[in-house]
Amino acid sequence: MKRVQFSAAYPERLVHPLHRRVIEPGPVARAELLTWSPTADATTLLWCDADPAATRSVVRAVDSLVDSELVEDGAGTYAFLRQDGYEFAPAVLDAIAAAGVVFLPPVVFSASGDVRFEAVGEAAALGAFHEALGDLADVTIERAQEFERTASPSRLTDRQRAALEAAVEAGYYEVPRDGTTADVAAALDCSTSTAGELVRKAEAAVIQEFVAAGSGD
């Protein structure tokens, strides 16, 4: 079994309306679809790297929206959405529904126009999905690795470790907090959204390792 991270840039006609709002200049540069499934009953959990007001302006781009609830956290805003249906282009949903693979959250919509996500399956099925998606979008395979049933949280990448070190140096974990993801981005010479992702993934790895170690006591 393989685990593959894809990055897809869709033509304008296939771009999700919410993603169009993220691409437009504004306070939201990144949105993460944390839970979803290609069904008619569309209840999702979304996260945006902005305050509730900015997140609300992006969410309103979804015409099928029935109800929403926004919850602010320290780095952005969670949005619980209930819709009449998904607004992904039918061709995209068809490719996803026909794929012999499973998809791991999150689906990341970035201001650059790329959609990034991970899929798990056998090599042949992943290859077939890659080919089918390639007919619809400019697709890049960013990373491919063996799928592991359990996570290996101790395996921080060099970039994730550097992000944590930069966050500590900047005072990001001081109480009260004295640094921001912008400080981490400056130290790593990357975008704020990339720095935020690196910090979150590194934090998740460290926390999972801590919990796993404790469960063995």
Side-chain angles (χ1 to χ4, degrees):
M1 296 282 283
K2 297 288 185 180
R3 177 174 181 166
V4 177
Q5 184 177 81
F6 294 95
S7 177
Y10 293 98
E12 172 61 25
R13 64 186 176 84
L14 297 181
V15 176
H16 192 281
L18 185 147
H19 194 192
R20 289 195 182 99
R21 295 298 296 271
V22 174
I23 294 171
E24 294 173 358
V28 178
R30 177 188 180 91
E32 299 180 0
L33 188 54
L34 302 177
T35 62
W36 77 292
S37 60
T39 63
D41 183 15
T43 300
T44 61
L45 174 60
L46 184 77
W47 180 88
C48 291
D49 64 344
D51 61 28
T55 299
R56 186 173 292 107
S57 70
V58 168
V59 168
R60 285 175 178 170
V62 181
D63 291 336
S64 61
L65 186 67
V66 174
D67 192 18
S68 65
E69 180 180 353
L70 305 184
V71 179
E72 187 173 13
D73 76 352
T77 301
Y78 290 102
F80 295 90
L81 308 181
R82 186 163 61 87
Q83 302 162 230
D84 287 335
Y86 285 105
E87 294 188 33
F88 289 102
V92 175
L93 278 181
D94 287 345
I96 292 171
V101 302
V102 294
F103 300 93
L104 303 179
V107 177
V108 179
F109 302 98
S110 67
S112 66
D114 293 335
V115 181
R116 192 166 64 254
F117 58 92
E118 289 188 309
V120 173
E122 295 182 313
L126 287 163
F129 171 69
H130 181 223
E131 182 176 352
L133 193 63
D135 291 337
L136 304 175
D138 182 8
V139 183
T140 301
I141 294 179
E142 295 192 338
R143 184 176 65 245
Q145 62 194 70
E146 291 295 327
F147 176 71
E148 297 181 359
R149 183 176 58 84
T150 57
S152 300
S154 61
R155 297 179 186 173
L156 285 178
T157 66
D158 291 343
R159 195 70 165 157
Q160 290 169 354
R161 189 176 300 278
L164 281 185
E165 291 173 351
V168 171
E169 182 67 24
Y172 186 81
Y173 296 108
E174 295 292 333
V175 181
R177 179 170 291 174
D178 191 38
T180 67
T181 52
D183 297 320
V184 177
L188 300 181
D189 193 23
C190 66
S191 69
T192 302
S193 61
T194 296
E197 179 183 15
L198 288 168
V199 169
R200 284 193 298 276
K201 286 187 174 180
E203 288 172 343
V206 171
I207 290 171
Q208 290 170 20
E209 182 176 20
F210 176 82
V211 172
S215 65
D217 292 343

